[in-house]
Amino acid sequence: MSAATQFQYVGGELAIFEKARKWKSYWRDEIAPYIRGDVLEVGAGIGANTKLLGELGFASWTALEPDARLAAQIDPASSRHRTVVGTIADLHARFDAILYIDVVEHIEDDRAELLRATERLRPGGTLIVLSPAHPFLFTPFDSAIGHYRRYTRSSLAAAAPRCMRPLRIAYLDSMGMLASAGNRVLLKASMPTERQILAWDRLLVPVSRAIDRLFAGRVGKSVLGIWRREKS
């Protein structure tokens, strides 16, 4: 058994955040236009996002998860799906889109990881990264689930290989950020409660979705980066 398959994720928040349906619907709609062809989802966890994105128009979906315990919980939505235990270093196939949804902040050498992802992209393929934003919002919760960092737009842009052309780097969830910055209620503890997650999801996310465009991607609790590998 390789070191990758022996990996065990330290966090326990996946089942709680699976209930944040409005938030997941929000970023799903933001990345949906870039999901096509053969897709690789890195750090698929228990498959919550695999299921969420399962009806989009793609040819195949590879859910890649280094923790075998979590990977065993992924329920393939269709014959287009497969689950692989390991890391991107274990793969040799090429893809049209590669996703890191709340994943790269868990990886110590994020630049090396995104370089490996770029090497697994076909020309014209897209790299999609969604991560928690702003170092000043780093809390005990981040530490408890193994985050190395939170990103700014600039630091996320710097983590991507220079050969990738940025299509969009923007903050999402302005209301979530303002609430967190103002009182640190949502992510103050080592683990947020289900009640806190549902309050944020039901009350703040719909407002963010309505007004984020007014901030032109300059305010938000998460940062979304989308890049394209230029055709040679």
Side-chain angles (χ1 to χ4, degrees):
M1 181 178 291
S2 69
T5 57
Q6 295 176 14
F7 172 84
Q8 291 190 350
Y9 178 55
V10 298
E13 84 291 356
L14 298 180
I16 297 177
F17 275 89
E18 188 175 7
K19 301 178 186 297
R21 296 186 177 92
K22 293 184 184 298
W23 168 239
K24 288 180 176 291
S25 177
Y26 180 11
W27 62 252
R28 174 190 184 275
D29 291 347
E30 295 294 310
I31 72 172
Y34 305 95
I35 303 298
R36 62 178 181 82
D38 298 316
V39 180
L40 173 64
E41 177 192 3
V42 181
I46 59 176
N49 296 330
T50 311
K51 183 186 305 182
L52 175 75
L53 303 169
E55 299 304 317
L56 297 180
F58 54 85
S60 72
W61 190 282
T62 300
L64 181 67
E65 171 53 48
D67 188 329
R69 300 170 309 157
L70 300 182
Q73 301 178 55
I74 299 175
D75 182 18
S78 71
S79 59
R80 297 185 298 168
H81 291 76
R82 69 168 181 149
T83 300
V84 175
V85 177
T87 70
I88 199 167
D90 300 314
L91 300 181
H92 301 287
R94 291 186 178 272
F95 301 89
D96 299 296
I98 298 179
L99 286 70
Y100 288 82
I101 305 300
D102 293 320
V103 170
V104 294
E105 63 274 10
H106 294 274
I107 300 172
E108 186 171 8
D109 193 343
D110 53 350
R111 296 190 181 202
E113 176 71 18
L114 295 183
L115 179 59
R116 284 190 288 267
T118 298
E119 293 169 348
R120 300 269 65 81
L121 275 174
R122 294 181 179 126
T126 52
L127 174 64
I128 301 168
V129 176
L130 181 69
S131 287
H134 303 300
F136 74 86
L137 291 179
F138 198 95
T139 68
F141 171 67
D142 291 282
S143 298
I145 62 175
H147 287 179
Y148 285 98
R149 69 196 72 82
R150 281 175 166 260
Y151 289 92
T152 63
R153 289 194 300 182
S154 296
S155 65
L156 184 59
R162 292 185 178 181
C163 62
M164 298 293 287
R165 180 167 69 89
L167 302 180
R168 184 182 180 198
I169 302 178
Y171 294 120
L172 302 179
D173 190 16
S174 52
M175 291 302 297
M177 180 212 160
L178 295 174
S180 295
N183 53 38
R184 295 294 186 92
V185 168
L186 293 180
L187 295 177
K188 179 173 63 175
S190 60
M191 184 64 64
T193 66
E194 180 174 328
R195 182 177 180 179
Q196 289 171 333
I197 294 301
L198 292 178
W200 158 65
D201 188 58
R202 295 172 180 175
L203 301 177
L204 299 183
V205 171
V207 179
S208 291
R209 188 163 188 168
I211 69 173
D212 276 359
R213 295 293 181 182
L214 297 177
F215 289 106
R218 294 190 296 268
V219 180
K221 188 162 62 63
S222 292
V223 59
L224 174 65
I226 303 174
W227 298 262
R228 175 166 293 148
R229 179 173 179 178
E230 298 289 8
K231 296 181 181 180
S232 56

